[in-house]
Amino acid sequence: LTRLKAKLAKSANPFGKALFAILTKDHLTEADWEDVEDTLLLADVGAEAAEQLVDELRSDARVTGEKDPAAVREMLRGKLLDLVGRDTDRRLNVNKPGAAKPSVIMMVGVNGTGKTTTAGKLARLFVADGKSVVLGAADTFRAAAADQLETWGARVDVPVVRSDKDGADPASVAFDAAARAKEADADVLIIDTAGRLQNKANLMDELGKIRRVTEKNLPVDEVLLVLDATTGQNGMAQAKVFAEAIGITGIVLSKLDGSARGGIVISVQKELGVPVKLVGLGEGPDDLAPFDPEGFVDGILA
Ligand code: GDP
């Protein structure tokens, strides 16, 4: 019992903790199944997915006559992996053979979600991979945004193209950045954009213009939506507006290191119809990682 308690106390994740408590019982009762569902709900898995998971799990357990909680846990692991998408292609569409060079990535999302930070961390990932990178500061609305990106550029040793004046046309900065990246024969251009959300039409106008103008030089290969994992369903509504305004190719789930309940990965992929490709795990330059479904599911069950 002491060992069990110690293990529970060590688990940072209340989701994993509760599941661990339920699924280490000798046998599962009606109330236990409800607890499993509640726990999945609390983990942000989403109502529909939680109900479906538990229904499937129960009927599978009935069919196979499986009563051993450890085996049920293994079944849950498999189902979570299926839901998260174990074989989904999450690679960034960057430097594919035959594609135009540099590859262009646009970062979009609501202010404060971690766009600028993620642009910096992403640049670092590419640099570590031996690629040359240019950052474009097309968030000209927030005066400090270009400064912040410049700080990141210095930190990860990547040039930053910005405008000298506040409130400059973001599309013209993107145009300059694309021209410069092309001239420098860089591998990747990452464009940071403004995240103010007045209305969808306005957002479509601005992001659409940045994209069109960039594409005078180079095709945009990835549009990554940065979503703050700690905002749960609230963040999702805003994320949807961005997804509808520009059309995204991948999600970066930031701030998964904090109090975020990981289950949001499942609902966000379902809602937005694109995979989570990267996760933010802190504020430092090395705190961005490709999303790993196996590690993720093991993490929430731990
Ligand atoms: P932007 O307005 O979307 O460009 O957001 P910023 O990049 O300025 O980030 C907002 C805040 O979130 C900053 O304080 C970042 O350091 C912090 N942040 C960004 N990503 C992460 C992350 O993965 N984990 C944590 N803990 N903080 C993050």
Side-chain angles (χ1 to χ4, degrees):
L1 190 67
T2 324
R3 234 187 40 187
L4 188 74
K5 274 188 184 154
K7 197 162 177 185
L8 284 174
K10 249 197 347 225
S11 171
N13 181 344
F15 176 32
K17 239 185 213 178
L19 274 180
F20 180 79
I22 300 161
L23 295 177
T24 45
K25 291 186 163 184
D26 289 341
H27 66 277
L28 297 173
T29 65
E30 189 69 27
D32 292 331
W33 286 112
E34 277 168 27
D35 284 350
V36 174
E37 186 169 333
D38 288 350
T39 313
L40 290 168
L41 273 175
L42 282 172
D44 266 343
V45 163
E48 216 179 300
E51 192 183 336
Q52 194 191 331
L53 266 173
V54 170
D55 283 353
E56 281 182 21
L57 208 57
R58 286 187 70 161
S59 74
D60 287 5
R62 210 175 292 131
V63 169
T64 59
E66 189 56 75
K67 291 199 180 63
D68 174 13
V72 173
R73 186 187 172 85
E74 210 33 54
M75 284 160 65
L76 175 59
R77 182 177 183 273
K79 288 190 186 302
L80 277 168
L81 260 175
D82 287 344
L83 262 184
V84 170
R86 65 177 94 208
D87 297 323
T88 308
D89 187 359
R90 300 173 195 274
R91 285 170 302 180
L92 294 174
N93 179 22
V94 158
N95 302 146
K96 290 264 172 74
K101 198 176 162 215
S103 296
V104 181
I105 301 177
M106 261 176 88
M107 311 295 304
V108 305
V110 181
N111 275 338
T113 52
K115 251 189 333 283
T116 305
T117 306
T118 304
K121 293 193 279 190
L122 189 54
R124 163 79 138 221
L125 268 187
F126 287 130
V127 168
D129 202 25
K131 296 185 188 296
S132 61
V133 183
V134 172
L135 283 163
D139 180 356
T140 56
F141 183 72
R142 220 161 38 99
D147 294 343
Q148 196 190 338
L149 197 66
E150 213 156 43
T151 304
W152 270 102
R155 197 186 249 181
V156 302
D157 204 14
V158 159
V160 177
V161 176
R162 63 175 294 178
S163 165
D164 295 331
K165 13 180 231 300
D166 282 352
D169 179 9
S172 90
V173 177
F175 181 87
D176 290 348
R180 162 96 175 267
K182 208 169 155 180
E183 199 181 282
D185 197 29
D187 295 306
V188 186
L189 166 65
I190 303 171
I191 302 175
D192 192 21
T193 66
R196 72 185 188 285
L197 196 76
Q198 283 167 349
N199 56 59
K200 194 166 129 197
N202 174 279
L203 195 70
M204 274 171 110
D205 272 3
E206 179 162 323
L207 294 177
K209 189 171 167 203
I210 291 176
R211 181 183 199 136
R212 276 195 312 279
V213 169
T214 305
E215 292 196 329
K216 287 184 196 284
N217 277 303
L218 292 162
V220 172
D221 302 288
E222 285 275 359
V223 181
L224 294 180
L225 176 86
V226 181
L227 184 64
D228 178 340
T230 62
T231 57
Q233 296 297 321
N234 291 332
M236 189 93 87
Q238 294 183 318
K240 262 176 152 168
V241 177
F242 276 83
E244 283 162 14
I246 176 102
I248 57 171
T249 59
I251 302 156
V252 181
L253 210 51
S254 65
K255 310 187 194 180
L256 260 184
D257 51 306
S259 58
R261 303 167 183 142
I264 195 168
V265 166
I266 293 167
S267 38
V268 79
Q269 291 187 146
K270 198 164 170 215
E271 290 276 338
L272 302 180
V274 290
V276 171
K277 293 189 170 177
L278 298 158
V279 292
L281 300 167
E283 298 182 86
D286 295 315
D287 295 332
L288 184 72
F291 176 67
D292 159 31
E294 301 249 352
F296 175 77
V297 168
D298 288 342
I300 50 181
L301 290 174

